[in-house]
Amino acid sequence: MTGKGNMHRNDRRWLAGASFAALILAMPAGALAQEAAAQVAQDVAPEGEVADIVVTGFRQSLGAAINLKRQTVGSVDAIVAEDIAKFPDQNLAESLQRIPGISIQRDGGEGRAITVRGLGAQFTRVRVNGLETVATSTDGASSNRDRAFDFNVFASELFSSLVVHKTAEASLDEGSLGAVVDLNTGNPLAGKSGFTFVGSATGSYNDLSKKWGPRLAGLMSWKSDDGQWGVALSAAYSKLDTKQMGNNTVRWSQARFDSVDGVPCFTQPNSGGSYVAGAACDEAALAFHPRIPRYGEIAQERERLGVTGSIQWAPSDATKVSIDGLFSRFRETREEKWGEVLLRSNERSIDVVNPTYDDKGNMVSATLNDAWVRTEHYLRKSQTKFYQLGATWDQDISDSFRFTLLGGFSKSDASIPVETTLVFDDRDAQGYSYDYSNSRRPVLTFGTSVTDPANFQLAEIRDRPSSTINKFRTAQLRTEWDVTEGFTVKAGAVYRRFAFDTEGYTRDTVVCGNGGVDRVLGTVNCSHTSAFGPTAIYGLPVTSDLAQLFTLKGAGAPAGTTTQWLVPNLATGTDYTNLYERPLAVDAGNTRGVVEKTTGGYIQFDAKGEIFGLEYAANAGIRYVKTDQSSAGLNNGAMVSVSRSYEDWLPAANIAFFPHKDIIVRASVADVMTRPSLGNLTPGGSVDGFNYRISFGNPFLDPFRATAYDVAVEWYFAPQSVFSVAAFKKDVQSFPISQTITGTFASTGLPLSVIPPSSPPAIQPERPEGWAINTIVNGSGASLKGIELAVQAPFTFLPGFLSHFGGIVNATFVDSSASYTVSGPAVVPGGGNIASVRNATLFGLSKRAFNGTLYYEDEKFSARVSASYRSGYIDQNSGTGNIFEGYNSTVNVDASVRYKLTDWIELSLEGINLTDEYRDRYTDLDANRNYEQLHFGRTLQIGARFKL
């Protein structure tokens, strides 16, 4: 392939202009690479002639991305198709982490959401083929019911380019403090004439699940000989079973125990009476202990299907019409099996023996008598279906005036038809011991037999079906007028309607209430809740057909840990209790909605020329947007709706100087905004009965608003090479924060039915200490600053075969400061948590991130190894007296080897997470207590790619 490009006139004009998004939308990978090769040829050829060079494969894609970055005025990074298809990436998030400044959060061993320059997923806007959209999934432990985009919904094979806009322009869609990410499918008119087919077939193997799964992809395209018609269709399918193994504490907490080393802590045992202060009892009460120490297994079955289609018509060089469609379906089945002790809210009856403490106030080991032993079996089936259909009309009215009309709709439907848990309890178990001396590898030993059905009762049944739907409708007009040579006026208008709706329901039932007949079958006479001991009845009797034996393997548990226990059999248990025939109750906290109608427009001036002999290119303009917002949520049993409107004027300016043909100096300043989190806008409330906490939304929250500054220097020191340094700063003027007061449950106006039936206040809603009532208010702001370094180059300066090597390295250093209201430890036994204001980084912000790739490529053979490091970060406020919670640092290593048998077939071997990195989640920033320690295993992929 020579370095000559062949582009439509509407496409080629963008190279001299400033709209990188329009350029990349207009071209597929082949055209991108061709244009890059042409640019490289011009860079290295003597004046007056263009060299004839050959650039292929992975290097070709890197060169394409570099040259497109070089054309922009603002800060932009990209990955093009050869790059995506040949990284060992399971989805788009894992592809995006190769870009400087981007880190990802993995869920269930796969990348899910991205952080750009320290700002989390909710601050990033995503467009698919130019249309803003949201795709949410129910992967991992939680559902996404907010603005964050779940990239795991899509296979990376479906897209020809990923573009990340790190600085704002007036002509760029608003809504991002972090970045605007463009995901672009192919463009058949920019390819070669005739029929093209590319396909791949891969087998994936996970070494924890010990199972294989298929991964298939294919692209067909056709372009008429006259270049007027083009059609493309692509599809990707994958299925893989994986496992997560390890331990969990579900946070640590403080509480008063029944006795410590035989010393009574209350005037009467197990329940009732008053607290008796003493050295041993006070020390135990003020120390933090694991709430639910446990080992277990999480099995996941993931199936991903995606289809894209494009039809294009260009009757002349002045006109092009495109219709693009995308469908994706992501299914997951998640099954969990745990063996645990429920210290949470049950410490009152537990006798502590031989406790030991560390210097951070933790009870790191103890033996527990009268402990509440629990085993549980959880099953969730979820599915996300994503649809998008869009159309674009590019029209040149004259040589100096043109417009683009863009419109379309998208829908993301994430549903959970089944989310079931069955629970076995043994509430007076003896001789349980835990030891967190090695905090990430605890020894958990059950004294009472947990393999004997007679020791258990079926105590709880749960089912929580839900659905979350996001819809976008967009119409946009963009115009350009070349007023004179080097001066262009851009103007446009946009209408966008975003609708978010989530519904949640529960069938949760505690088998026994406060005495009386059981609530499930009506066949058992339950004991009063104050009853204690082996004769207490708190559930249905467990028989062998209601249970199954679970054996723990591969969790890294030390010697002495109990590795076998009974868990409920979901098939027989749900049938026995008629769980799925029980009536549904509304889950108030997860039944809400938001509708946002956005209208606005922009004007932008693009210029290029010379200042005092220094060549420059610049754009400056302002964007106006009005947001009409309607929020709905359940309050006091009724759906309440609140409406409001707000306006934003968002000026932006970018300039690039060219002191040398290979050096670019960029600077940018802009006002930017991100709309409030959807979960914070609901006028309704939700209840955490175990922590006596009630959360209310605030539909009158202001958006996150900030002024963003950026300066960068880029040195294109050789073909396909760049060294860049960028410094950035964001002053956030408005930053919502939580505010907590103490009050009674009755004061909230919420109905008693919203209290989880398995939590203590379901029986007695009020308590002397009251409830923590939390809401979100407009805060004073936050700040963020950082630096980004990147270097990329083929090692063509080395002799012989070494010249086929190359490398990519980038590093990001970020710091930020924000004020949060937190609840710290109690200072007296049985006392409440102490509220205070704490400065910390923004949620989701890692102070350091590194990415590196070393590659080799010749005509037949190619190999790459990539490593990604992300330092620890906090991701949310915690509870039970812990200050924040988050994740410790991670390093992920991936690699691939490819061999081209012929011009049309290539074999591959790829490895993902080769070091089997653990996900280390902690609670409390200062004490770094073990919250979760899980690993996902390595994934190997063996396959072939072919093209016709």
Side-chain angles (χ1 to χ4, degrees), residues 471-474 495-499 595-598:
K471 296 179 182 178
F472 269 95
R473 293 204 303 251
T474 301
Y495 167 80
R496 189 185 306 113
R497 185 183 188 275
F498 168 59
V595 175
E596 290 172 345
K597 296 180 181 179
T598 302

Side-chain angles (χ1 to χ4, degrees), residues 5 82 174 238 409 420 526 550 577 632 653-654 677 751 809 823 885 903:
E82 188 91 356
E174 85 292 335
S238 65
F409 67 88
T420 297
C526 300
F550 169 71
T577 59
N654 296 268
S677 299
V809 179
S823 295
E885 58 192 48
D903 288 341

Side-chain angles (χ1 to χ4, degrees), residues 112-114 120-127 132-137 143-151 174-177 179 181 386 412 468-472 496-502 592-598 627-631 644 646 648 673-682 698-704 736:
R112 180 175 182 180
I114 68 171
Q122 77 175 92
F123 297 105
T124 296
R125 298 280 69 78
V126 177
R127 304 188 300 189
E132 183 181 350
T133 189
V134 172
T136 60
S137 72
S143 303
N144 179 0
R145 296 187 175 99
D146 220 307
R147 298 185 193 273
F149 190 96
D150 284 338
F151 289 90
E174 85 292 335
S176 164
L177 262 63
V181 178
F386 178 88
S412 172
T468 300
I469 298 175
N470 292 282
K471 296 179 182 178
F472 269 95
R496 189 185 306 113
R497 185 183 188 275
F498 168 59
F500 160 82
D501 183 71
T502 184
R592 48 191 168 85
V594 176
V595 175
E596 290 172 345
K597 296 180 181 179
T598 302
T627 305
D628 296 308
Q629 170 194 296
S630 177
S631 306
R644 66 174 297 207
Y646 53 90
D648 285 276
M673 59 88 78
T674 290
R675 295 176 177 88
S677 299
L678 298 172
N680 290 339
L681 289 175
T682 173
N698 181 355
F700 295 100
L701 283 178
D702 290 333
F704 299 85

Side-chain angles (χ1 to χ4, degrees), residues 51-208:
D52 210 21
I53 65 171
V54 176
V55 185
T56 62
F58 181 62
R59 286 191 183 183
Q60 167 188 292
S61 68
L62 297 178
I66 283 180
N67 281 279
L68 287 168
K69 174 183 178 68
R70 196 169 182 172
Q71 303 297 328
T72 65
V73 178
S75 178
V76 172
D77 283 290
I79 307 176
V80 297
E82 188 91 356
D83 203 346
I84 298 171
K86 289 195 174 180
F87 266 129
D89 299 329
Q90 300 173 97
N91 58 56
L92 293 178
E94 296 180 11
S95 297
L96 284 166
Q97 74 175 326
R98 318 295 178 188
I99 289 177
I102 294 184
S103 298
I104 67 172
Q105 183 167 354
R106 295 176 183 267
D107 212 340
E110 283 194 6
R112 180 175 182 180
I114 68 171
T115 295
V116 182
R117 290 181 166 179
L119 289 167
Q122 77 175 92
F123 297 105
T124 296
R125 298 280 69 78
V126 177
R127 304 188 300 189
V128 177
N129 291 328
L131 297 173
E132 183 181 350
T133 189
V134 172
T136 60
S137 72
T138 312
D139 197 12
S142 62
S143 303
N144 179 0
R145 296 187 175 99
D146 220 307
R147 298 185 193 273
F149 190 96
D150 284 338
F151 289 90
N152 56 357
V153 171
F154 300 116
S156 58
E157 294 95 332
L158 294 177
F159 295 87
S160 64
S161 63
L162 312 180
V163 184
V164 180
H165 306 261
K166 298 177 182 175
T167 58
E169 297 183 5
S171 58
L172 190 64
D173 288 344
E174 85 292 335
S176 164
L177 262 63
V180 174
V181 178
D182 278 313
L183 313 179
N184 305 305
T185 58
N187 175 342
L189 279 184
K192 67 179 183 179
S193 297
F195 177 79
T196 300
F197 175 75
V198 179
S200 66
T202 302
S204 298
Y205 174 81
N206 179 264
D207 68 351
L208 273 186

